[in-house]
Amino acid sequence: VRGARAPSSRVVDSAGVRFLRVEGVGAAGWLVSAVDPPIAVGRGALVWRWRVSQAPTGADLRSPETDDAAIRVFVAFGPLRALGRPPRTIFYSLGTSEPDGYARMGHGSQDVYVIRTGSARAAERWIEVRVDPFADYRRAWGGVPPPIAAVGLLQDTEQTRGRAVADIASLTWTTSDATDLLSATGGRGGFLFN
């Protein structure tokens, strides 16, 4: 993230589980993969497994001064633009003190929608999350969603200057017939893995 130090990331094998660990203090950084070809509107869900060893102290998605998260999965709807207005993006964020079901437009942009997908305090063990980005797009902006052009992860602790340690073990797009479309085992995407 521009102006911030990047958190560190590494692949870890532990107790038969392979996962990506992201950790940082007062840092913010993205891992992003373009989806080629983009995923058009249709049936399916984005599914992942994550856990948090440490959430940034004082983080709260409701305030721009404390809007940090140990980990977020995001979906960008195309087309991706190198210059000009960024694509509409949904951030699925592990929160800390917000109410269940909390969702809002971005503090600084109407092109960002934030959805709390659970509590970092409850995510010390592996948690599976399943979302429908197209339904969430309709809830945020209405209309027909553009195709999903990119998917990624974000850790940000630059507001609270706190420490965060988070792991993600899988990130896949699954159709109604359980076919994986996004995975690092030969599917559509770079860092996305299963």
PDB file of all heavy atoms in Angstrom, residues 124-148:
ATOM      1  N   GLU A 124      -9.072 -17.881  16.073  1.00  0.00           N
ATOM      2  CA  GLU A 124      -7.771 -18.446  16.441  1.00  0.00           C
ATOM      3  C   GLU A 124      -7.635 -19.875  15.939  1.00  0.00           C
ATOM      4  O   GLU A 124      -6.550 -20.413  15.880  1.00  0.00           O
ATOM      5  CB  GLU A 124      -7.572 -18.355  17.948  1.00  0.00           C
ATOM      6  CG  GLU A 124      -7.418 -16.913  18.407  1.00  0.00           C
ATOM      7  CD  GLU A 124      -7.263 -16.794  19.908  1.00  0.00           C
ATOM      8  OE1 GLU A 124      -7.393 -17.812  20.624  1.00  0.00           O
ATOM      9  OE2 GLU A 124      -7.011 -15.674  20.369  1.00  0.00           O
ATOM     10  N   ARG A 125      -8.737 -20.482  15.565  1.00  0.00           N
ATOM     11  CA  ARG A 125      -8.722 -21.796  14.925  1.00  0.00           C
ATOM     12  C   ARG A 125      -9.143 -21.581  13.470  1.00  0.00           C
ATOM     13  O   ARG A 125      -9.629 -20.514  13.108  1.00  0.00           O
ATOM     14  CB  ARG A 125      -9.661 -22.758  15.645  1.00  0.00           C
ATOM     15  CG  ARG A 125     -11.086 -22.275  15.667  1.00  0.00           C
ATOM     16  CD  ARG A 125     -12.018 -23.221  16.422  1.00  0.00           C
ATOM     17  NE  ARG A 125     -13.315 -22.634  16.619  1.00  0.00           N
ATOM     18  CZ  ARG A 125     -14.233 -22.453  15.690  1.00  0.00           C
ATOM     19  NH1 ARG A 125     -13.997 -22.804  14.442  1.00  0.00           N
ATOM     20  NH2 ARG A 125     -15.390 -21.916  15.963  1.00  0.00           N
ATOM     21  N   TRP A 126      -8.953 -22.596  12.635  1.00  0.00           N
ATOM     22  CA  TRP A 126      -9.309 -22.458  11.221  1.00  0.00           C
ATOM     23  C   TRP A 126     -10.811 -22.251  11.083  1.00  0.00           C
ATOM     24  O   TRP A 126     -11.598 -22.994  11.647  1.00  0.00           O
ATOM     25  CB  TRP A 126      -8.875 -23.682  10.427  1.00  0.00           C
ATOM     26  CG  TRP A 126      -7.397 -23.786  10.276  1.00  0.00           C
ATOM     27  CD1 TRP A 126      -6.567 -24.688  10.876  1.00  0.00           C
ATOM     28  CD2 TRP A 126      -6.552 -22.946   9.479  1.00  0.00           C
ATOM     29  NE1 TRP A 126      -5.263 -24.462  10.500  1.00  0.00           N
ATOM     30  CE2 TRP A 126      -5.221 -23.399   9.649  1.00  0.00           C
ATOM     31  CE3 TRP A 126      -6.787 -21.855   8.654  1.00  0.00           C
ATOM     32  CZ2 TRP A 126      -4.145 -22.805   9.005  1.00  0.00           C
ATOM     33  CZ3 TRP A 126      -5.712 -21.255   8.012  1.00  0.00           C
ATOM     34  CH2 TRP A 126      -4.408 -21.736   8.189  1.00  0.00           C
ATOM     35  N   ILE A 127     -11.194 -21.238  10.334  1.00  0.00           N
ATOM     36  CA  ILE A 127     -12.594 -20.905  10.065  1.00  0.00           C
ATOM     37  C   ILE A 127     -12.779 -20.922   8.553  1.00  0.00           C
ATOM     38  O   ILE A 127     -11.973 -20.344   7.825  1.00  0.00           O
ATOM     39  CB  ILE A 127     -12.934 -19.491  10.570  1.00  0.00           C
ATOM     40  CG1 ILE A 127     -12.635 -19.348  12.049  1.00  0.00           C
ATOM     41  CG2 ILE A 127     -14.346 -19.100  10.214  1.00  0.00           C
ATOM     42  CD1 ILE A 127     -13.710 -19.774  12.967  1.00  0.00           C
ATOM     43  N   GLU A 128     -13.838 -21.580   8.087  1.00  0.00           N
ATOM     44  CA  GLU A 128     -14.158 -21.531   6.657  1.00  0.00           C
ATOM     45  C   GLU A 128     -15.197 -20.440   6.426  1.00  0.00           C
ATOM     46  O   GLU A 128     -16.169 -20.332   7.161  1.00  0.00           O
ATOM     47  CB  GLU A 128     -14.701 -22.865   6.153  1.00  0.00           C
ATOM     48  CG  GLU A 128     -14.966 -22.815   4.641  1.00  0.00           C
ATOM     49  CD  GLU A 128     -15.357 -24.158   4.063  1.00  0.00           C
ATOM     50  OE1 GLU A 128     -14.455 -25.009   3.893  1.00  0.00           O
ATOM     51  OE2 GLU A 128     -16.561 -24.333   3.799  1.00  0.00           O
ATOM     52  N   VAL A 129     -14.954 -19.635   5.403  1.00  0.00           N
ATOM     53  CA  VAL A 129     -15.858 -18.545   5.032  1.00  0.00           C
ATOM     54  C   VAL A 129     -16.317 -18.787   3.598  1.00  0.00           C
ATOM     55  O   VAL A 129     -15.516 -19.138   2.738  1.00  0.00           O
ATOM     56  CB  VAL A 129     -15.157 -17.173   5.134  1.00  0.00           C
ATOM     57  CG1 VAL A 129     -16.092 -16.052   4.707  1.00  0.00           C
ATOM     58  CG2 VAL A 129     -14.623 -16.943   6.539  1.00  0.00           C
ATOM     59  N   ARG A 130     -17.610 -18.583   3.357  1.00  0.00           N
ATOM     60  CA  ARG A 130     -18.185 -18.750   2.017  1.00  0.00           C
ATOM     61  C   ARG A 130     -19.011 -17.500   1.736  1.00  0.00           C
ATOM     62  O   ARG A 130     -19.873 -17.138   2.512  1.00  0.00           O
ATOM     63  CB  ARG A 130     -19.062 -19.988   1.988  1.00  0.00           C
ATOM     64  CG  ARG A 130     -19.748 -20.259   0.657  1.00  0.00           C
ATOM     65  CD  ARG A 130     -20.733 -21.392   0.822  1.00  0.00           C
ATOM     66  NE  ARG A 130     -20.727 -22.581   0.106  1.00  0.00           N
ATOM     67  CZ  ARG A 130     -19.820 -23.226  -0.601  1.00  0.00           C
ATOM     68  NH1 ARG A 130     -18.680 -22.758  -0.719  1.00  0.00           N
ATOM     69  NH2 ARG A 130     -19.997 -24.325  -1.205  1.00  0.00           N
ATOM     70  N   VAL A 131     -18.700 -16.818   0.636  1.00  0.00           N
ATOM     71  CA  VAL A 131     -19.421 -15.594   0.277  1.00  0.00           C
ATOM     72  C   VAL A 131     -19.860 -15.653  -1.180  1.00  0.00           C
ATOM     73  O   VAL A 131     -19.282 -16.379  -1.989  1.00  0.00           O
ATOM     74  CB  VAL A 131     -18.556 -14.329   0.524  1.00  0.00           C
ATOM     75  CG1 VAL A 131     -18.206 -14.192   2.004  1.00  0.00           C
ATOM     76  CG2 VAL A 131     -17.304 -14.330  -0.337  1.00  0.00           C
ATOM     77  N   ASP A 132     -20.871 -14.865  -1.490  1.00  0.00           N
ATOM     78  CA  ASP A 132     -21.355 -14.709  -2.859  1.00  0.00           C
ATOM     79  C   ASP A 132     -21.058 -13.270  -3.281  1.00  0.00           C
ATOM     80  O   ASP A 132     -21.844 -12.359  -2.999  1.00  0.00           O
ATOM     81  CB  ASP A 132     -22.856 -14.999  -2.918  1.00  0.00           C
ATOM     82  CG  ASP A 132     -23.435 -14.855  -4.317  1.00  0.00           C
ATOM     83  OD1 ASP A 132     -22.783 -14.237  -5.197  1.00  0.00           O
ATOM     84  OD2 ASP A 132     -24.561 -15.338  -4.528  1.00  0.00           O
ATOM     85  N   PRO A 133     -19.905 -13.030  -3.915  1.00  0.00           N
ATOM     86  CA  PRO A 133     -19.547 -11.652  -4.263  1.00  0.00           C
ATOM     87  C   PRO A 133     -20.552 -10.952  -5.172  1.00  0.00           C
ATOM     88  O   PRO A 133     -20.746  -9.738  -5.051  1.00  0.00           O
ATOM     89  CB  PRO A 133     -18.192 -11.793  -4.971  1.00  0.00           C
ATOM     90  CG  PRO A 133     -17.635 -13.078  -4.461  1.00  0.00           C
ATOM     91  CD  PRO A 133     -18.824 -13.960  -4.256  1.00  0.00           C
ATOM     92  N   PHE A 134     -21.208 -11.693  -6.063  1.00  0.00           N
ATOM     93  CA  PHE A 134     -22.175 -11.056  -6.952  1.00  0.00           C
ATOM     94  C   PHE A 134     -23.392 -10.559  -6.174  1.00  0.00           C
ATOM     95  O   PHE A 134     -23.886  -9.453  -6.414  1.00  0.00           O
ATOM     96  CB  PHE A 134     -22.575 -11.999  -8.084  1.00  0.00           C
ATOM     97  CG  PHE A 134     -21.441 -12.324  -9.018  1.00  0.00           C
ATOM     98  CD1 PHE A 134     -21.036 -13.626  -9.222  1.00  0.00           C
ATOM     99  CD2 PHE A 134     -20.760 -11.317  -9.692  1.00  0.00           C
ATOM    100  CE1 PHE A 134     -19.986 -13.931 -10.076  1.00  0.00           C
ATOM    101  CE2 PHE A 134     -19.698 -11.609 -10.552  1.00  0.00           C
ATOM    102  CZ  PHE A 134     -19.318 -12.913 -10.739  1.00  0.00           C
ATOM    103  N   ALA A 135     -23.888 -11.333  -5.225  1.00  0.00           N
ATOM    104  CA  ALA A 135     -25.000 -10.885  -4.370  1.00  0.00           C
ATOM    105  C   ALA A 135     -24.569  -9.697  -3.517  1.00  0.00           C
ATOM    106  O   ALA A 135     -25.334  -8.743  -3.325  1.00  0.00           O
ATOM    107  CB  ALA A 135     -25.488 -12.030  -3.495  1.00  0.00           C
ATOM    108  N   ASP A 136     -23.332  -9.736  -3.007  1.00  0.00           N
ATOM    109  CA  ASP A 136     -22.839  -8.622  -2.199  1.00  0.00           C
ATOM    110  C   ASP A 136     -22.668  -7.360  -3.038  1.00  0.00           C
ATOM    111  O   ASP A 136     -22.919  -6.251  -2.560  1.00  0.00           O
ATOM    112  CB  ASP A 136     -21.527  -9.013  -1.512  1.00  0.00           C
ATOM    113  CG  ASP A 136     -21.735 -10.082  -0.454  1.00  0.00           C
ATOM    114  OD1 ASP A 136     -22.841 -10.155   0.124  1.00  0.00           O
ATOM    115  OD2 ASP A 136     -20.787 -10.861  -0.216  1.00  0.00           O
ATOM    116  N   TYR A 137     -22.258  -7.507  -4.292  1.00  0.00           N
ATOM    117  CA  TYR A 137     -22.159  -6.359  -5.195  1.00  0.00           C
ATOM    118  C   TYR A 137     -23.538  -5.717  -5.361  1.00  0.00           C
ATOM    119  O   TYR A 137     -23.676  -4.495  -5.281  1.00  0.00           O
ATOM    120  CB  TYR A 137     -21.607  -6.799  -6.551  1.00  0.00           C
ATOM    121  CG  TYR A 137     -21.428  -5.654  -7.529  1.00  0.00           C
ATOM    122  CD1 TYR A 137     -20.180  -5.083  -7.715  1.00  0.00           C
ATOM    123  CD2 TYR A 137     -22.503  -5.138  -8.249  1.00  0.00           C
ATOM    124  CE1 TYR A 137     -19.998  -4.023  -8.602  1.00  0.00           C
ATOM    125  CE2 TYR A 137     -22.341  -4.083  -9.128  1.00  0.00           C
ATOM    126  CZ  TYR A 137     -21.092  -3.521  -9.296  1.00  0.00           C
ATOM    127  OH  TYR A 137     -20.927  -2.466 -10.169  1.00  0.00           O
ATOM    128  N   ARG A 138     -24.567  -6.547  -5.604  1.00  0.00           N
ATOM    129  CA  ARG A 138     -25.927  -6.019  -5.779  1.00  0.00           C
ATOM    130  C   ARG A 138     -26.386  -5.283  -4.525  1.00  0.00           C
ATOM    131  O   ARG A 138     -27.053  -4.250  -4.604  1.00  0.00           O
ATOM    132  CB  ARG A 138     -26.890  -7.148  -6.129  1.00  0.00           C
ATOM    133  CG  ARG A 138     -26.718  -7.688  -7.529  1.00  0.00           C
ATOM    134  CD  ARG A 138     -27.776  -8.746  -7.858  1.00  0.00           C
ATOM    135  NE  ARG A 138     -27.353  -9.550  -8.971  1.00  0.00           N
ATOM    136  CZ  ARG A 138     -26.739 -10.726  -8.873  1.00  0.00           C
ATOM    137  NH1 ARG A 138     -26.494 -11.259  -7.692  1.00  0.00           N
ATOM    138  NH2 ARG A 138     -26.380 -11.393  -9.953  1.00  0.00           N
ATOM    139  N   ARG A 139     -26.057  -5.827  -3.354  1.00  0.00           N
ATOM    140  CA  ARG A 139     -26.442  -5.195  -2.088  1.00  0.00           C
ATOM    141  C   ARG A 139     -25.757  -3.835  -1.943  1.00  0.00           C
ATOM    142  O   ARG A 139     -26.365  -2.879  -1.466  1.00  0.00           O
ATOM    143  CB  ARG A 139     -26.064  -6.104  -0.918  1.00  0.00           C
ATOM    144  CG  ARG A 139     -26.415  -5.525   0.429  1.00  0.00           C
ATOM    145  CD  ARG A 139     -26.270  -6.508   1.552  1.00  0.00           C
ATOM    146  NE  ARG A 139     -24.916  -6.976   1.726  1.00  0.00           N
ATOM    147  CZ  ARG A 139     -24.403  -7.350   2.886  1.00  0.00           C
ATOM    148  NH1 ARG A 139     -25.135  -7.328   3.965  1.00  0.00           N
ATOM    149  NH2 ARG A 139     -23.165  -7.776   2.962  1.00  0.00           N
ATOM    150  N   ALA A 140     -24.499  -3.741  -2.369  1.00  0.00           N
ATOM    151  CA  ALA A 140     -23.741  -2.491  -2.213  1.00  0.00           C
ATOM    152  C   ALA A 140     -24.118  -1.444  -3.252  1.00  0.00           C
ATOM    153  O   ALA A 140     -24.344  -0.283  -2.913  1.00  0.00           O
ATOM    154  CB  ALA A 140     -22.240  -2.783  -2.290  1.00  0.00           C
ATOM    155  N   TRP A 141     -24.146  -1.828  -4.531  1.00  0.00           N
ATOM    156  CA  TRP A 141     -24.284  -0.849  -5.602  1.00  0.00           C
ATOM    157  C   TRP A 141     -25.516  -1.050  -6.478  1.00  0.00           C
ATOM    158  O   TRP A 141     -25.817  -0.195  -7.314  1.00  0.00           O
ATOM    159  CB  TRP A 141     -23.036  -0.863  -6.486  1.00  0.00           C
ATOM    160  CG  TRP A 141     -21.804  -0.439  -5.755  1.00  0.00           C
ATOM    161  CD1 TRP A 141     -21.493   0.836  -5.348  1.00  0.00           C
ATOM    162  CD2 TRP A 141     -20.723  -1.271  -5.336  1.00  0.00           C
ATOM    163  NE1 TRP A 141     -20.281   0.832  -4.700  1.00  0.00           N
ATOM    164  CE2 TRP A 141     -19.778  -0.448  -4.677  1.00  0.00           C
ATOM    165  CE3 TRP A 141     -20.449  -2.632  -5.442  1.00  0.00           C
ATOM    166  CZ2 TRP A 141     -18.597  -0.929  -4.133  1.00  0.00           C
ATOM    167  CZ3 TRP A 141     -19.268  -3.121  -4.906  1.00  0.00           C
ATOM    168  CH2 TRP A 141     -18.355  -2.277  -4.255  1.00  0.00           C
ATOM    169  N   GLY A 142     -26.197  -2.186  -6.344  1.00  0.00           N
ATOM    170  CA  GLY A 142     -27.332  -2.455  -7.212  1.00  0.00           C
ATOM    171  C   GLY A 142     -26.881  -2.772  -8.628  1.00  0.00           C
ATOM    172  O   GLY A 142     -25.696  -2.746  -8.947  1.00  0.00           O
ATOM    173  N   GLY A 143     -27.816  -3.086  -9.472  1.00  0.00           N
ATOM    174  CA  GLY A 143     -27.501  -3.343 -10.870  1.00  0.00           C
ATOM    175  C   GLY A 143     -26.827  -4.689 -11.106  1.00  0.00           C
ATOM    176  O   GLY A 143     -26.661  -5.506 -10.202  1.00  0.00           O
ATOM    177  N   VAL A 144     -26.440  -4.897 -12.354  1.00  0.00           N
ATOM    178  CA  VAL A 144     -25.782  -6.136 -12.755  1.00  0.00           C
ATOM    179  C   VAL A 144     -24.281  -6.006 -12.484  1.00  0.00           C
ATOM    180  O   VAL A 144     -23.643  -5.083 -12.984  1.00  0.00           O
ATOM    181  CB  VAL A 144     -26.025  -6.432 -14.247  1.00  0.00           C
ATOM    182  CG1 VAL A 144     -25.268  -7.678 -14.678  1.00  0.00           C
ATOM    183  CG2 VAL A 144     -27.508  -6.563 -14.535  1.00  0.00           C
ATOM    184  N   PRO A 145     -23.701  -6.923 -11.707  1.00  0.00           N
ATOM    185  CA  PRO A 145     -22.268  -6.820 -11.407  1.00  0.00           C
ATOM    186  C   PRO A 145     -21.412  -7.089 -12.642  1.00  0.00           C
ATOM    187  O   PRO A 145     -21.726  -7.967 -13.439  1.00  0.00           O
ATOM    188  CB  PRO A 145     -22.037  -7.926 -10.376  1.00  0.00           C
ATOM    189  CG  PRO A 145     -23.382  -8.315  -9.877  1.00  0.00           C
ATOM    190  CD  PRO A 145     -24.345  -8.019 -10.986  1.00  0.00           C
ATOM    191  N   PRO A 146     -20.316  -6.360 -12.787  1.00  0.00           N
ATOM    192  CA  PRO A 146     -19.341  -6.707 -13.824  1.00  0.00           C
ATOM    193  C   PRO A 146     -18.639  -8.003 -13.433  1.00  0.00           C
ATOM    194  O   PRO A 146     -18.748  -8.458 -12.291  1.00  0.00           O
ATOM    195  CB  PRO A 146     -18.349  -5.550 -13.808  1.00  0.00           C
ATOM    196  CG  PRO A 146     -18.866  -4.542 -12.852  1.00  0.00           C
ATOM    197  CD  PRO A 146     -19.936  -5.171 -12.047  1.00  0.00           C
ATOM    198  N   PRO A 147     -17.898  -8.614 -14.340  1.00  0.00           N
ATOM    199  CA  PRO A 147     -17.148  -9.826 -13.993  1.00  0.00           C
ATOM    200  C   PRO A 147     -16.108  -9.554 -12.902  1.00  0.00           C
ATOM    201  O   PRO A 147     -15.626  -8.437 -12.745  1.00  0.00           O
ATOM    202  CB  PRO A 147     -16.454 -10.208 -15.310  1.00  0.00           C
ATOM    203  CG  PRO A 147     -17.238  -9.528 -16.375  1.00  0.00           C
ATOM    204  CD  PRO A 147     -17.764  -8.272 -15.760  1.00  0.00           C
ATOM    205  N   ILE A 148     -15.768 -10.600 -12.159  1.00  0.00           N
ATOM    206  CA  ILE A 148     -14.702 -10.515 -11.161  1.00  0.00           C
ATOM    207  C   ILE A 148     -13.377 -10.538 -11.912  1.00  0.00           C
ATOM    208  O   ILE A 148     -13.068 -11.492 -12.623  1.00  0.00           O
ATOM    209  CB  ILE A 148     -14.788 -11.676 -10.163  1.00  0.00           C
ATOM    210  CG1 ILE A 148     -16.075 -11.552  -9.336  1.00  0.00           C
ATOM    211  CG2 ILE A 148     -13.556 -11.709  -9.255  1.00  0.00           C
ATOM    212  CD1 ILE A 148     -16.357 -12.748  -8.436  1.00  0.00           C
TER     213      ILE A 148
END
